[in-house]
Amino acid sequence: MEMSLNTSDAGPEVEPKSAGQQQPESLPKPLGPGPDLGEGSDVKAAPFLAQRSQQLLEQEPEQRWASGQGAETPGMKESRSGKCDSPLPPSQSTEVSHRRRCHTDCLEAPLSRAFRGLGWEVGSHPWIFLLVPILLTAVLGTGLTYISTDAEEILEEQYTPIRSLAKAERRFVQEHFTTDDSNHFSVFRKSTEVHLASILVVSHTDSLLEQEILSEVSKLDKAVQALNVTQDDGTQILYSQVCAKNQGFCVPSNPLLFAWQLNKNLNLRSITFPIYNQNGKPIPLAGTLGGTTLGNQIGPNQLLVEAKAMRLQYYLTTKEGEDNAHSKTWLVHFLNQFSNMEESLALKMIQVVYFTSLSRQLEFEATSKTVIPLFYLAYVLIILFSIVSCYRCDCVRNKMCVAVFGVISTAFSVLSGFGLLLFIGVPFVTIVKNSPFLILGVGVDDMFIMISGWQKTKLMDSIKERMSHVYSKVAVSITITTVTNVLAFYTGIMTSFRSVRYFCIYTGTTLLFCYFYTITGFGAFMALDGKREVVCLRWLKKPNILDHKCSSLKRCCCFPFDSLQEEHEADIHPMNLFFRDYFGPFLISTKSKLFVVLLYILYLVISIYGCFHVKEGLDLRNLASDDSYITPYFDVDEEYFPEYGPKVMVIVTETLDYWDKYARQKLEKCLADFEDNDYVHKNLTEFWLREYVQYLEAKRQDVNDKNTFINSISSFIVDFPLFKFDVNISSPDEISSSRAFIQTTGISSSANKKKMLLQLRNLAEKCEIPLKVYNHAFIYFDQYTAITENTIRNVIVASIAMLVVSLLLIPNPLCSLWVTFAITSVIVGVTGFMAFWNVNLDSISMINLVICIGFSFDFSAHISYAFVSSSKPSVNQKSIEALYMLGYPVLQSAMSTVIGVCVLSAAKAYIFRTFFKIMFLVMFFGAVHGLIFIPVFLTFF
């Protein structure tokens, strides 16, 4: 939905009927070409009082006075010309001085003249201007061949901040620490996500700590490990070949299950949690068992009474090259065979759900394909809406075919814009598939503007004259509103999310093509249809010239041909009369005003409340469709495994004298601060230095002696091989960096993830010793810290841009004030109601919040300017007149955009439904502000 910011006089140029006939009272300067008072109107075509002026000029003086329009006072003609200092006769300077306004037409006037010339050329050579966009689309459309269906859209690159702190921390870890998947695998020591297959087992009884249930779980575990893949060359990929190993054996899928498989007589009533000591060897169970019920305290642990769920993790090697490819092949085979395997096992006592490290990527790619049929449906709905909007019983002025071509022209812009950007190498990401739905709704508005301008021209004028008049009146409006909408999109390029950048580039560029094709190809088609009007009018007026051969052509070109409207008959749409005669008077009544004020207060309270309850960040499960197998997996994970989060590295980033007692005390103090944090478990910290100190003390060696400390590390690593990956010895007598591991807890919600991340980083900064904290999950957690900042920055920049535009193009400070008010109010409302519609503040919704700035600007600018420009004596009459001129165009524009995106409500994926939800909120609240709140609030000033 777009609206004009034209400050020229959009009233038709009419000569007086006679020298003695009085001119109508001075009319206010219109903001743009004005609303179409006939069918197919739009907000951008808003000739404020222009058509009314035309009618009054054709009335007798008595009729004009009866209509409430007095004779023109001296000096008003100069005032209408747009000059600020046209003097009035002294006798009337006091009476009408309040009507003098300064109007800036330094931009509009030359643009209007230029477009008048362009319209003349389009009317003179329509076939040339029609072929230009068609040929350009044919050429640029070839760029669509560059869409790669096989290219993998890496989620981390598109939906996480580009320069996030976690990515810098990951680079540090990769430069200073190594891992070994083939012999000493440790998942929390990895700097990146690993290949894995995960199964969550939920018991149908109160606890799975029963022999019969563990037997069934064990049967499932063995079936998974027995899976093998036969490749095209006949070779097989066994699980034992691709699994991550520890001391030569595949890492157990679950430590407790593995212990039970080794000893079927294991006493399941003596297990402690979260650490279970078996034969003096500690076995960590945190995160491997869910739905736990704990009993008596036994040392730092508690007795495990019940466990409702168990996690089975099958880690695979992630080495580059052939091993990595084999791991992916095995995982794909696991996904393909799991349902069959589950059915063959006939599991009766447990429920299982599954997930792999490839699942999000594969499901995301599959989901994006489901939106293509919706794209076709959207075009059908928009075509039907356009036909209905442009249908007329007047066979001459009927514009159904023109409306259909207008939608086709919008499709051409999509092909051209996308093709051009693909040709120059701009990545096409899944979120861009939302763009055509938005462009459909916004693009057809330009078509309505052109049609509405054409319908105000005289049938008997030449095509060149009619096109020249149309372009001079509406092309400026289309230009300015296109600039504001494109400007709103291009502000999104500043964001830290690549997916948002690409969406804004594609949508903004395509809107430019949509604008260009409207003023060229669509205008040319409209000119050709004008020739049909002339022929049809001639046939209808002189039916005797028709012969039998052309009767079928007449039916085709002049459908419907049962009526012929008078050439100069006023064309006022019934909806405009509804807003003038019914809605407007009802809205400005005292009771209605009180109700509107109370309604706005309620709206504001609910919106502000919702703003504080909006969830931040993109839940990665939402990248898959609703019926995906990963959805129940995450549901079970949230229900039974909410307590323990990732194990976080605490990294000493610089050289430290670990043998120095005071240095160790400083480091221990920092670790104690971490352990005292609400999101960290006190008893699950793993630190090589603590174990090493105990190791040396057990051997009665001096921990504080440098040589002893350095020389004994090698023997310590032999006994504790995993710790060799935690100490970076850069020289024989120097440890350049090392790391500890803390266990996070209670971070199941996005809000807690954000708080945990910020608090741990803050603790690392406060430590006297230089520290960093890192886990590969922080790459995604960083979006929680970046999304709010990015959204606020983009909204502020876009709002300032819109405010500058309003100040430049709307020479009335009150209008600019109400534009700012409406933008702020709509953004608050949309953000607040996102919380009630289960929409997170993420990279997807951030796009829409930026978009709503442009739409809020369009709705509010014209309503407020129509009010302040009205010559009516009372504020209530000014409000009614503004609604009369703009009520129906605002409503129609909102409807066209909603229809364009409404099909996305049927999408099975969050990423597409969210786009519909927020666009619906934007258009609904924008229309409510334009049609209810602002018209009422303006009457209070």
Side-chain angles (χ1 to χ4, degrees), residues 698-904:
K699 290 191 172 186
R700 300 178 182 274
Q701 294 183 350
D702 187 4
V703 180
N704 300 317
D705 180 70
K706 177 180 179 180
N707 292 330
T708 301
F709 191 96
I710 294 295
N711 295 333
S712 299
I713 289 180
S714 57
S715 60
F716 169 73
I717 288 176
V718 171
D719 294 339
F720 301 90
L722 283 177
F723 285 140
K724 75 176 180 179
F725 303 107
D726 301 337
V727 184
N728 184 6
I729 303 177
S730 56
S731 65
D733 60 349
E734 187 176 79
I735 300 176
S736 60
S737 58
S738 70
R739 60 184 175 182
F741 300 90
I742 55 177
Q743 176 65 58
T744 59
T745 182
I747 60 168
S748 58
S749 68
S750 59
N752 288 342
K753 288 183 176 71
K754 177 180 178 180
K755 291 178 182 177
M756 178 272 293
L757 181 61
L758 294 177
Q759 290 180 16
L760 293 189
R761 284 177 174 169
N762 186 48
L763 289 173
E765 289 180 1
K766 289 182 177 179
C767 181
E768 294 184 49
I769 296 173
L771 299 178
K772 289 182 183 293
V773 290
Y774 174 74
N775 181 278
H776 59 78
F778 285 4
I779 301 292
Y780 296 97
F781 290 0
D782 257 342
Q783 65 171 314
Y784 302 127
T785 63
I787 193 67
T788 303
E789 175 189 347
N790 276 258
T791 302
I792 293 175
R793 182 178 66 244
N794 290 343
V795 167
I796 290 177
V797 172
S799 299
I800 291 175
M802 295 301 104
L803 182 59
V804 170
V805 170
S806 67
L807 289 173
L808 289 175
L809 301 174
I810 309 177
N812 190 298
L814 183 60
C815 285
S816 300
L817 178 64
W818 282 110
V819 167
T820 306
F821 161 78
I823 290 175
T824 304
S825 182
V826 172
I827 290 176
V828 171
V830 172
T831 306
F833 277 78
M834 283 167 49
F836 305 119
W837 212 349
N838 297 322
V839 177
N840 292 358
L841 179 59
D842 50 36
S843 57
I844 301 169
S845 56
M846 179 174 62
I847 293 172
N848 298 83
L849 289 177
V850 174
I851 292 173
C852 80
I853 295 173
F855 291 140
S856 303
F857 173 85
D858 291 343
F859 283 132
S860 59
H862 287 266
I863 289 289
S864 59
Y865 195 83
F867 178 91
V868 299
S869 300
S870 173
S871 60
K872 295 294 184 180
S874 70
V875 290
N876 287 343
Q877 290 177 336
K878 290 175 183 286
S879 183
I880 293 175
E881 188 172 51
L883 289 170
Y884 168 57
M885 292 300 166
L886 294 171
Y888 179 54
V890 165
L891 183 62
Q892 187 189 42
S893 298
M895 288 177 60
S896 66
T897 304
V898 170
I899 289 175
V901 300
C902 69
V903 295
L904 293 177

